[in-house]
Every structure is written in C-alpha cells, then in structure tokens.
Amino acid sequence: MTLGYLLGIRIQINPFFLAILVLYGVLGALQPVVIFFFLIVTHELAHLVLAAALGLRVEALELLPFGSRAQIPDLDRAGGATETAVALAGPLHNLLLLALGLGYQQVLPGTAGPALTVFIAGNLLLALFNLLPVLPLDGGRILRAQLAPRLGFRRATELLAAAGRLAALVLLAVVCASLV
C-alpha cells in the first residue's frame, strides 16, 4: 500500500512490515528497530536521489518486513558507470552517517546512549552487508557493472545471482547454528 510521497518518490509499505513493527513494540524493542529501518530508508533514498539526479526514472521505495527496495526500472540499462555510482550511493551514505555518529560520540562522549550505539552499529552493518559482491546487493551491482563488458550482462547477472543464493543459504545456516 502507498504510504505517501517523499521528494516526489512514492513510499510503499508492505503490510507485514507493520506487523513486524507491532511485534517489536510488544516485545519492547521498538526503538532499535525504528532506528535501523530509518537507516535502511535513508540508504535507499540515497540511491533514488542520485538516480533521479542522473536522469533515471525513479518509481518508488518499498518498505519490506526485512529491508527495503529502491525501484529504478532503467538502472540495469543505464551503463556500468551509472549503475556503479547509484549502487555506491547507499553504502557511502551509511559510511557518512557512521562517521557523523562516531564524531558525535567523540565530541560529546557523556551523551552517547543505546540509540547512538544502534545508529553507529546499524550504519556499519548496512554499509558492509550491502557491499557484499552478490546480487541483489549493492556490491553485486557494482561487480556486475565491472564484469558485464567481459562476460555479457546476462552471464554476469546469472553468476552474481547464484552467488547471492549461496550467500543467503550460508547466512541462513549461520543464523540456524547460532540458535542451537
């Protein structure tokens, strides 16, 4: 469902996203989840704002239960340099916010609380995770832009999508092992 518009970009929200927020609220953990989703939204907005500035058609930002997705229909056909720049915008945004958070922590150390810790850790996590060289993550888009001239766009996409599926299985195994 459409939540509204921000900077002319349609913001969509998956109903299960709201269910996740309610669940975390009931569990008393709403603040860190809201901070983390704020960081995810601004990460995606960084992609969308740069894409629009580069003349690409920007459709929407969709909030999902475990992340979000920037909808830029023509990004795959925009060329390697443009795809790389747009893909880098999100992680660079998080690294900038990380630097600001660390700077704040250094300048005003007595005021650092749990929210700042979540802000700093969340930005570091988002930047590093999104730079993994697998699709659909930003690192996969960057690597695909580099591989496509040699392998062809389709082959590079297939290779990095397979790497993404493998990474998801490894991540699932790590999570399951940590629960035991």
Side-chain angles (χ1 to χ4, degrees):
M1 75 176 133
T2 298
L3 188 63
Y5 290 82
L6 180 64
L7 304 172
I9 299 166
R10 186 175 70 248
I11 309 296
Q12 296 177 299
I13 189 164
N14 183 297
F16 291 111
F17 174 82
L18 295 174
I20 293 289
L21 287 181
V22 168
L23 175 64
Y24 278 106
V26 168
L27 295 173
L30 188 59
Q31 184 188 38
V33 171
V34 168
I35 292 169
F36 195 70
F37 271 107
F38 169 79
L39 298 177
I40 291 171
V41 168
T42 62
H43 171 103
E44 297 298 341
L45 283 173
H47 292 303
L48 293 168
V49 167
L50 181 59
L54 294 173
L56 295 173
R57 183 169 50 102
V58 170
E59 288 190 349
L61 167 66
E62 183 179 10
L63 300 174
L64 301 165
F66 299 102
S68 63
R69 181 172 64 103
Q71 295 178 14
I72 309 167
D74 301 326
L75 183 59
D76 294 346
R77 295 179 293 281
T82 300
E83 184 174 16
T84 297
V86 171
L88 277 171
L92 289 176
H93 165 79
N94 289 116
L95 291 174
L96 175 63
L97 290 181
L98 171 65
L100 290 172
L102 290 170
Y104 180 85
Q105 191 176 48
Q106 291 299 313
V107 172
L108 299 167
T111 62
L116 183 60
T117 301
V118 170
F119 182 82
I120 289 170
N123 277 300
L124 180 61
L125 175 68
L126 281 172
L128 294 178
F129 181 76
N130 275 286
L131 286 172
L132 290 174
V134 298
L135 286 175
L137 301 177
D138 300 330
R141 288 187 166 278
I142 293 164
L143 185 55
R144 177 176 62 190
Q146 305 311 307
L147 292 176
R150 290 187 294 261
L151 301 177
F153 184 83
R154 182 183 176 130
R155 180 68 185 127
T157 300
E158 289 169 348
L159 179 68
L160 292 168
R165 288 188 293 277
L166 178 61
L169 290 173
V170 168
L171 183 59
L172 178 63
V174 168
V175 169
C176 288
S178 72
L179 296 175
V180 177

